[in-house]
Structure formats: C-alpha cells, structure tokens
C-alpha cells in the first residue's frame, strides 16, 4: 500500500486551503546562519487560519457522518482551537458551545470576539480550561434534545492526529528538492500536532529531529511525552500502519515555559518583533512566538549547528495579538 493512502478511508470535511505555503526565510537565514524554512499553517484559511483546521477536518467529518447537530469543546479564553471550531460549526450550519477558562470580560477581543461573531454559545468555566466539564455539558445538551459531538481539548485524539499525518504527506509533495531537514520545530501543547508529525515522519522521513517546544506547564496524567506516544500509537492502529512509539521518541523542550501558559515575556516579544520586522510574518503571543523563541535559543546556543536546515511549523493564532496589545509594546 502506498504511504498515506489509508487516510482516504476517513470522512473529511473541507475546511482549509491546501497546501499551505512552504517558504524559505532568506533574510533570517542570513542573520541566523541556518537555512530556515517555514510551513505556513497560519494560512490554512479557516477563521484566519491555524493548525486546528487540519485536525477539525477529520473530527468534523466524523461528526457529520454521525448526524450530529452541535459541536462542543473547551479551551482558554483566547483559544485558537475554540475559534476555529466555532467557525467550522458555522460553515456547516451546526450549533457550537465553548467552555472557556476564566470569567467573562467586559469587552471581547481577539479570538473571543471572533467566537461571538461566529455565533458560539460561551460557557465560562473559571479555573477549568482543558475541558474538565465537557462531559457534563454534553449530557445537558443531550437531555435538551440536541445531538452534540464532543471535540476534545486541542482537537487531539486519533482523528485529529490524522490531520497532521496528512500534513506530512502534503509537505513531502511540496519538498521537490527532496531536502531532509535537520530539525523540525513547532509549538506543543495538547499533543496532537506532535503525534501526527511524528507518525507522518516515521512513514516518509522528511526530517532528522522533531522538537516540540512545550507551551504549557500543566501536564497530562503520565506526562506529555507519554500522552503524545499514546496518541501516535492509537492513530497508527487506526490508519493500519505498523509503527509504535514510546515517550523516549518525543523530544520536548521545556526551557521556554516562562511564567506559564499565556503569560507573554521578553522572549515571545522579541520573537514576534524579529519575524515581523524581517519577514513580514506575524506570530501569536501564546504558542508560535514561544516556539519561535525556543528555536532561536537552540540556534544561538549552538545546539542547532550553523549551516543546518530548519523547518518551523507556524501553527497560527495571530488574532490573539490584539488581546495582548498592552503587553506587546514593540516601540
């Protein structure tokens, strides 16, 4: 069976604009002394783009096949995943309920404003931002006569992971010079993107080292690396691929957690400024800026050797910039 052909068996809702561009950042490559490429999943098309679009295509495909009329999911107040889920629901005429961490603010900005524009019903869950109350909401909606579909936190389950296995197939079709990247670097939080890239790369060997820059101090039970390995193994079984992983296969950089999730510090601000002013590309303050800062740290410390080839996956999230306007005083 040809690589990736088994993915065609899964229902897939058309949400994104594919392929997303793969480009070389020539100015920054010259400055940093590496050959730096960027995969622009921030241009995936759905609701100003982002990596969750790939996951949602397979998750929503399953929801539509099952005849569901409502999507429910959870995240932080400025969740990129929730914004794209709300947009996907609107595109297919479904209702959407979001459980967002924190308290209702006086004014909606960034992703939160977009959720409201897409018509999502927002439930404020205070300290809970990872879907702790989703099952309760699911049961309430069932009791009221709805047929809800529970989208996991970050879209990270066996179906969502398929979106990033497919992304590796897309990259392979774009990489016409057959470059094997020394490093592939991206933001890692709920684990689905990492699991899909890891499994996809095992199939097609597009890079030597896959590094997820950890965004969130909060761990899954058993640790994030084990969670990623479990997701990859479950997805391999799901798509009938004879591959297996353990937590030692997952390389996570925890050195850029700063003051915690969503707290923007100097490394994130510097990364946003560097990419914006040299390449005209916007990072988001929570995920991609932290990952880009991690990549810069690896280059500046010499852990990524001069002259090496690096692929940065831009996972999107630019709408959140407007919610952090007071912090991002670039001058």
């Amino acid at each position: 069976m040809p690589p990736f052909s088994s993915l065609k068996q899964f229902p897939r809702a058309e949400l994104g604009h594919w392929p997303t561009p793969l480009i070389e950042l020539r100015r920054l490559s010259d400055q940093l002394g590496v050959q730096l490429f960027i995969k622009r999943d921030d241009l995936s098309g759905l609701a100003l783009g982002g990596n969750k679009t790939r996951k949602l295509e397979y998750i929503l495909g399953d929801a539509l096949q099952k005849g569901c009329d409502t999507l429910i999911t959870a995240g932080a107040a400025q969740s990129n995943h929730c914004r794209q889920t709300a947009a996907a629901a609107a595109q297919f005429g479904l209702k959407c309920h979001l459980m967002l961490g924190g308290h209702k603010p006086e004014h909606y900005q960034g992703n939160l404003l977009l959720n409201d524009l897409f018509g999502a019903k927002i439930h404020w869950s205070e300290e809970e931002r990872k879907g702790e109350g989703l099952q309760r909401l699911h049961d309430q909606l069932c009791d009221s006569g709805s047929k809800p579909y529970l989208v996991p936190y970050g879209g990270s389950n066996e179906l969502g992971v398929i979106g990033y296995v497919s992304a590796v197939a897309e990259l392979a079709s774009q990489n016409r010079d057959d470059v094997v990247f020394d490093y592939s670097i991206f933001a890692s939080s709920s684990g689905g993107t990492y699991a899909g890239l890891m499994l996809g790369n095992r199939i097609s060997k597009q890079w030597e080292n896959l590094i997820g820059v950890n965004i969130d101090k909060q761990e899954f039970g058993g640790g994030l690396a084990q969670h990623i390995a479990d997701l990859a193994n479950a997805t391999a079984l799901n798509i009938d691929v004879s591959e297996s992983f353990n937590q030692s296969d997952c390389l996570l950089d925890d050195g850029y957690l700063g003051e915690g999730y969503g707290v923007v510090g100097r490394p994130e601000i510097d990364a946003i400024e560097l990419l914006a002013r040299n390449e005209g590309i916007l990072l988001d303050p929570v995920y991609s800026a932290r990952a880009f800062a991690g990549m810069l740290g690896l280059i500046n410390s010499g852990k990524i050797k001069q002259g090496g080839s690096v692929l940065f996956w831009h996972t999107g999230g630019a709408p959140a910039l407007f919610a952090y306007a007071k912090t991002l005083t670039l001058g």
Side-chain angles (χ1 to χ4, degrees):
M1 181 182 292
F4 305 110
S5 62
S6 63
L7 304 185
K8 295 178 181 179
Q9 67 182 293
F10 297 93
R12 183 176 184 177
E14 293 186 8
L15 295 172
H17 301 164
W18 316 117
T20 58
L22 171 67
I23 60 175
E24 184 177 358
L25 300 179
R26 298 186 184 279
R27 293 192 68 207
L28 278 184
S29 292
D30 289 342
Q31 289 182 39
L32 298 173
V34 299
Q35 190 177 20
L36 180 58
F37 294 83
I38 189 168
K39 180 69 167 141
R40 297 290 306 273
D41 275 8
D42 59 313
L43 301 179
S44 61
L46 177 67
L48 302 180
N51 64 323
K52 306 305 181 182
T53 304
R54 294 191 186 274
K55 300 178 180 183
L56 285 165
E57 287 202 326
Y58 289 94
I59 290 170
L60 185 56
D62 186 52
L64 294 171
Q65 186 179 67
K66 292 177 176 175
C68 296
D69 59 15
T70 304
L71 300 182
I72 60 174
T73 197
Q78 285 297 325
S79 167
N80 299 309
H81 164 65
C82 288
R83 180 241 312 162
Q84 289 167 88
T85 301
Q91 185 172 328
F92 280 86
L94 306 179
K95 296 176 183 177
C96 183
H97 288 254
L98 304 175
M99 294 194 74
L100 301 182
H103 300 270
K104 183 178 180 179
E106 183 178 356
H107 302 291
Y108 282 7
Q109 300 180 67
N111 285 320
L112 187 53
L113 172 62
L114 298 183
N115 292 336
D116 191 52
L117 292 176
F118 293 133
K121 169 67 175 176
I122 296 174
H123 307 261
W124 293 97
S125 56
E126 301 180 359
E127 299 304 315
E128 297 179 342
R129 63 173 172 85
K130 290 199 172 186
E132 292 88 344
L134 277 180
Q135 189 60 53
R136 182 174 65 251
L137 176 59
H138 177 275
D139 294 344
Q140 291 171 355
L141 290 171
C142 287
D143 291 342
S144 69
S146 296
K147 191 173 181 181
Y149 188 96
L150 201 161
V151 180
Y153 175 75
S156 292
N157 63 5
E158 298 93 317
L159 289 174
V161 170
I162 293 172
Y164 265 87
V165 178
S166 177
V168 179
E170 179 182 295
L171 176 69
S173 70
Q174 290 177 296
N175 189 8
R176 302 198 182 280
D177 294 330
D178 208 23
V179 174
V180 176
F181 300 103
D182 296 314
Y183 294 89
S184 181
I185 299 174
F186 62 100
S188 185
S189 177
S190 62
T193 299
Y194 198 129
L197 292 176
M198 184 167 66
L199 178 54
N201 191 54
R202 183 73 67 84
I203 297 169
S204 69
K205 297 177 176 57
Q206 294 292 300
W207 51 78
E208 295 290 340
N209 300 284
L210 180 64
I211 301 176
V213 178
N214 199 355
I215 302 305
D216 195 349
K217 288 181 178 179
Q218 291 190 22
E219 286 282 339
F220 292 84
L224 180 57
Q226 186 60 55
H227 174 69
I228 292 167
D230 291 344
L231 278 174
N233 288 332
T235 306
L237 201 62
N238 201 21
I239 65 175
D240 197 27
V241 172
S242 299
E243 298 290 349
S244 63
F245 302 88
N246 56 54
Q247 62 179 355
S248 66
D249 294 313
C250 304
L251 182 54
L252 291 164
D253 190 335
D254 295 327
Y256 296 87
L257 291 167
E259 296 301 314
Y261 178 87
V263 180
V264 176
R266 194 72 245 170
E268 290 85 10
I269 294 172
D270 289 345
I272 291 168
E273 179 183 280
L274 182 70
L275 188 60
R277 294 184 175 180
N278 284 280
E279 301 286 354
I281 297 172
L282 297 173
L283 296 166
D284 88 285
V286 177
Y287 292 91
S288 55
R290 186 162 285 183
F292 204 85
M295 180 193 70
L296 294 174
L298 291 170
I299 293 170
N300 293 333
S301 68
K303 292 180 180 178
I304 293 178
K305 303 299 183 185
Q306 291 289 289
S309 58
V310 182
L311 173 63
F312 181 80
W313 287 82
H314 191 330
T315 51
L321 284 168
F322 302 103
Y324 284 82
K326 291 182 180 179
T327 304
L328 299 174
T329 53
L330 304 184

